[in-house]
Structure formats: structure tokens, C-alpha cells
């Protein structure tokens, strides 16, 4: 029986097609699903930050989307309701000792939050 051999040229061509197909599959996966875990929504991020900062009983009762990926809202914990500002890298509460920083971030990121509606004449 004659021994069958694979020619080098044919092997190189088959490997090239396999590499191109694998690259196409990876590109398709990267563009349709992304290559990492899904980024949480701003409200989910704020909830996780508040649970870590305030405690596991923290419940968000109201939120507004602010500027530069910020979320402003109210969190209830321990029978109290407190205003908060959540950014991707930090969370500030209205009861924090950094009241001036909270007010500055509030004016910058959520200018309409915590403002009384205009009175009707």
C-alpha cells in the first residue's frame, strides 16, 4: 500500500484558512457580545456602591441620571432617607462630612436635583 503524504503547500493553505476562520469568529464574538463581563447600568453600580458604603439594607427609592455618568437619588437605610451622588469611582451622601464637596458635585452633575419646583402665582 502506498503511503499518503500531505504536501507542505497544502498544509500551509489549510492552516491559513483555519487561522482566518478563527479570527473571524473571534471578531464576531467581540463585536456582538463583547469580550468581558457586561458593564452594570448606572443604577446597578450605585446600588452596589451604596450597599458597600451604607450597608446591605440600603434601598434606592429614586434616581436621576446626571452628567458624566453620575446618578443622583435617594437611598433609604435604617429608617432614614438620604440624598446621594454616585460616580463610577465614588459615592457621596448628603450626610457625609464633606458637605461642601457634595453641594459642589450636586450643582455640577445634577443641577436640577434637590430643587423645589417653582411656586405657582
Amino acid at each position: 500500500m502506498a503511503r499518503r503524504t500531505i504536501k507542505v503547500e497544502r498544509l500551509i493553505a489549510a492552516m491559513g484558512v483555519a487561522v482566518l476562520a478563527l479570527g473571524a469568529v473571534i471578531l464576531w464574538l467581540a463585536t456582538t457580545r463583547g469580550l468581558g463581563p457586561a458593564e452594570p447600568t448606572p443604577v446597578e453600580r450605585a446600588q452596589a456602591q451604596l450597599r458597600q458604603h451604607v450597608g446591605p439594607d440600603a434601598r434606592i427609592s429614586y434616581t436621576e441620571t446626571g452628567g458624566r455618568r453620575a446618578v443622583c437619588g435617594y437611598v433609604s437605610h435604617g429608617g432614614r432617607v438620604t440624598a446621594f451622588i454616585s460616580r463610577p469611582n465614588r459615592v457621596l451622601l448628603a450626610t457625609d462630612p464633606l458637605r461642601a464637596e457634595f453641594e459642589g458635585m450636586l450643582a455640577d452633575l445634577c443641577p436640577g436635583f434637590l430643587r423645589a419646583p417653582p411656586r405657582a402665582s
Side-chain angles (χ1 to χ4, degrees), residues 52-115:
Q52 187 177 26
H53 187 73
V54 175
D57 65 332
R59 302 283 179 256
I60 294 178
S61 54
Y62 175 77
T63 61
E64 285 183 10
T65 304
R68 298 194 310 261
R69 301 186 335 174
V71 174
C72 303
Y74 296 104
V75 60
S76 58
H77 58 96
R80 296 178 304 180
V81 176
T82 307
F84 73 89
I85 300 171
S86 169
R87 298 209 44 206
N89 58 345
R90 74 185 298 190
V91 64
L92 276 177
L93 299 173
T95 56
D96 284 346
L98 302 171
R99 184 69 181 177
E101 186 175 357
F102 179 82
E103 295 293 335
M105 284 180 68
L106 186 66
D108 183 36
L109 300 174
C110 302
F113 189 69
L114 289 180
R115 301 283 183 256

Side-chain angles (χ1 to χ4, degrees), residues 14-29:
M15 298 284 280
V17 169
V19 167
L20 289 175
L22 182 62
V25 168
I26 290 174
L27 181 65
W28 176 74
L29 287 174

